[in-house]
C-alpha cells in the first residue's frame, strides 16, 4: 500500500512539474485580454486555477487508475508490459474524460488537448510504473529446462 501511495504522489508531482510549461490553451486564454482590462471575462488567476484543477482532475481520473493497472500488470509481465498498457489505458480514459466529462466537441481541439495531456501524463506514468517495479518484487517464476 505504501509503495502505491508513494508512486501516486510521485506521479502527481511529475505531472505538476510538466505544468511549469503551460498548456497552449492557458497561454491563449491568458493573452486574450490585458490584466488591467476591467471588461475581461475571466481574471488571470482563474485561468491558472483552471489549469491546476485540470492537472488534479487528470491525475485522479486518469493517471492513478492507469498506474494501478500498469503496476499490477508489471508485477506479472514486467515494466515492458505494464507501462505500454498503462499508457494505452490512460489514452482511452483521457479521451473519455475530455469528450464525455469536459465535453470538448471540436475534433481539432479534442486532439490537441488529448495530445497535451498524454504527453504530460506519460512522464507521471513512467514515474509510477518505475517506482512500483523497483520497489515491488516480482513473483518468482519456476525454472523450466528447455529440451533440445
Amino acid at each position: 500500500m505504501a509503495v502505491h501511495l508513494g508512486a501516486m504522489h510521485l506521479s502527481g508531482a511529475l505531472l505538476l512539474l510538466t505544468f511549469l510549461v503551460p498548456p497552449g490553451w492557458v497561454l491563449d486564454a491568458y493573452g486574450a485580454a490585458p490584466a488591467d482590462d476591467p471588461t475581461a471575462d475571466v481574471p488571470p488567476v482563474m485561468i491558472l486555477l483552471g489549469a491546476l484543477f485540470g492537472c488534479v482532475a487528470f491525475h485522479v481520473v486518469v493517471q492513478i487508475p492507469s498506474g494501478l493497472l500498469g503496476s499490477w500488470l508489471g508485477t506479472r509481465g514486467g515494466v515492458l508490459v505494464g507501462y505500454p498498457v498503462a499508457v494505452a489505458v490512460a489514452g482511452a480514459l483521457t479521451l473519455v474524460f475530455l469528450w464525455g466529462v469536459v465535453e470538448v466537441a471540436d475534433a481539432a481541439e479534442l486532439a490537441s488537448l488529448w495530445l497535451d495531456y498524454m504527453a504530460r501524463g506519460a512522464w507521471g506514468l513512467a514515474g509510477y510504473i518505475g517506482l512500483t517495479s523497483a520497489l515491488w518484487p516480482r513473483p518468482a517464476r519456476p525454472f523450466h529446462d528447455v529440451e533440445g
Side-chain angles (χ1 to χ4, degrees), residues 24-88:
W25 67 268
V26 169
L27 296 175
D28 291 343
Y30 195 76
D36 59 350
D37 183 5
T39 64
D41 291 337
V42 178
V45 71
M46 293 306 293
I47 297 168
L48 296 176
L49 287 176
L52 181 62
F53 176 74
C55 175
V56 170
F58 178 80
H59 180 62
V60 170
V61 173
V62 174
Q63 205 171 29
I64 290 175
S66 302
L68 284 170
L69 180 63
S71 65
W72 178 71
L73 290 172
T75 59
R76 283 146 183 78
V79 175
L80 296 177
V81 171
Y83 182 69
V85 170
V87 171

Side-chain angles (χ1 to χ4, degrees), residues 17-147:
L17 285 175
T18 66
F19 275 85
L20 290 175
V21 177
W25 67 268
V26 169
L27 296 175
D28 291 343
Y30 195 76
D36 59 350
D37 183 5
T39 64
D41 291 337
V42 178
V45 71
M46 293 306 293
I47 297 168
L48 296 176
L49 287 176
L52 181 62
F53 176 74
C55 175
V56 170
F58 178 80
H59 180 62
V60 170
V61 173
V62 174
Q63 205 171 29
I64 290 175
S66 302
L68 284 170
L69 180 63
S71 65
W72 178 71
L73 290 172
T75 59
R76 283 146 183 78
V79 175
L80 296 177
V81 171
Y83 182 69
V85 170
V87 171
V89 169
L93 288 175
T94 301
L95 189 60
V96 169
F97 176 70
L98 290 173
W99 184 64
V101 177
V102 182
E103 297 180 356
V104 178
D106 182 45
E109 183 182 5
L110 179 65
S112 172
L113 286 172
W114 184 84
L115 286 171
D116 182 67
Y117 274 108
M118 287 307 299
R120 294 171 191 280
W123 290 102
L125 282 174
Y128 193 111
I129 303 299
L131 185 65
T132 55
S133 67
L135 297 178
W136 198 283
R138 289 182 23 186
R141 295 179 186 232
F143 179 76
H144 296 285
D145 287 332
V146 177
E147 293 183 33

